[in-house]
Amino acid sequence: ITVILNGISNNRLNLANSFKRQNLTYDFLYLSGFAKHKNHSLLINSLPLGSKTCLIGQDIGTLDDVKKLILKREGEIHVDVFSEVSNDIKLFSLIASSRYCVFTSSYEGFGIPILEYAALDKYILASRISAFIEMDDLIDEFFDLSDKSTLRSILDKLFAKDYYNCLLYTSPSPRD
């Protein structure tokens, strides 16, 4: 499948496949620019105690606010922020090192990270918006942005699920 630059071409898919068997570092990963409609604050406020999360994206106006919110939860959660990932090797390595991939945006034109998550056979949790509903065969679970408690409940369930079995490579996606 060739979508656009930074989409999933055959070369990028082959590269992604080379990272599937890797030790896990993160419970959750969210790949998206730091803009208000991406709802990073919703995710950070919903993360389970003790979870480790990776956020990847360029600052589009909210990175400072996101960092302040992370500091407010210091000692409760661990969040690594990468505002620049210089190449696909680093990008796919970070995605592969996560148990679950999340997308909390309130609107998208398409959602390229969903393809990148799926290329690595990740369990995908996404907001129920039209762009993502169209890709429901790639998304494992949806949540409604209007129901913040549901996101927290799903994240808690995923965090607790098979935690000790996921310390080394596993693929928690039911698509396997």
Side-chain angles (χ1 to χ4, degrees):
I1 301 170
T2 300
V3 180
I4 59 170
L5 182 62
N6 294 325
I8 296 291
S9 66
N10 286 335
N11 290 340
R12 289 190 83 228
L13 186 57
N14 290 335
L15 180 62
N17 285 328
S18 72
F19 285 95
K20 284 186 180 178
R21 300 190 66 77
Q22 164 172 325
N23 289 345
L24 298 173
T25 302
Y26 298 104
D27 299 299
F28 305 103
L29 178 136
Y30 184 21
L31 170 59
S32 187
F34 291 94
K36 186 173 178 137
H37 72 279
K38 302 295 188 165
N39 293 312
H40 287 85
S41 61
L42 172 64
L43 175 61
I44 293 163
N45 285 324
S46 301
L47 289 170
L49 292 176
S51 63
K52 190 168 183 181
T53 301
C54 177
L55 302 177
I56 305 169
Q58 294 180 332
D59 185 13
I60 310 173
T62 63
L63 181 56
D64 287 341
D65 293 336
V66 168
K67 287 180 177 179
K68 287 176 188 172
L69 187 54
I70 292 167
L71 281 175
K72 286 183 181 178
R73 293 214 52 203
E74 187 174 14
E76 298 176 2
I77 59 174
H78 177 91
V79 180
D80 289 334
V81 176
F82 296 88
S83 57
E84 186 175 311
V85 174
S86 59
N87 59 56
D88 284 341
I89 292 171
K90 180 69 173 171
L91 175 65
F92 288 130
S93 177
L94 287 168
I95 295 171
S97 71
S98 66
R99 292 171 59 201
Y100 305 103
C101 292
V102 182
F103 214 123
T104 58
S105 184
S106 58
Y107 62 87
E108 289 297 321
F110 182 73
I112 297 292
I114 298 291
L115 295 178
E116 293 166 332
Y117 297 164
L120 285 153
D121 294 328
K122 291 298 172 177
Y123 188 99
I124 302 170
L125 171 62
S127 50
R128 189 182 314 277
I129 60 174
S130 59
F132 296 160
I133 291 169
E134 292 176 14
M135 297 188 294
D136 69 341
D137 57 326
L138 300 176
I139 297 172
D140 297 288
E141 196 161 358
F142 288 98
F143 69 93
D144 291 316
L145 287 166
S146 62
D147 185 0
K148 294 173 178 50
S149 65
T150 298
L151 175 61
R152 183 179 301 242
S153 175
I154 294 168
L155 292 174
D156 284 342
K157 173 191 74 171
L158 292 174
F159 180 62
K161 182 180 178 183
D162 297 321
Y163 178 74
Y164 295 104
N165 293 332
C166 289
L167 292 178
L168 293 177
Y169 169 80
T170 61
S171 184
S173 175
R175 292 185 302 276
D176 294 341

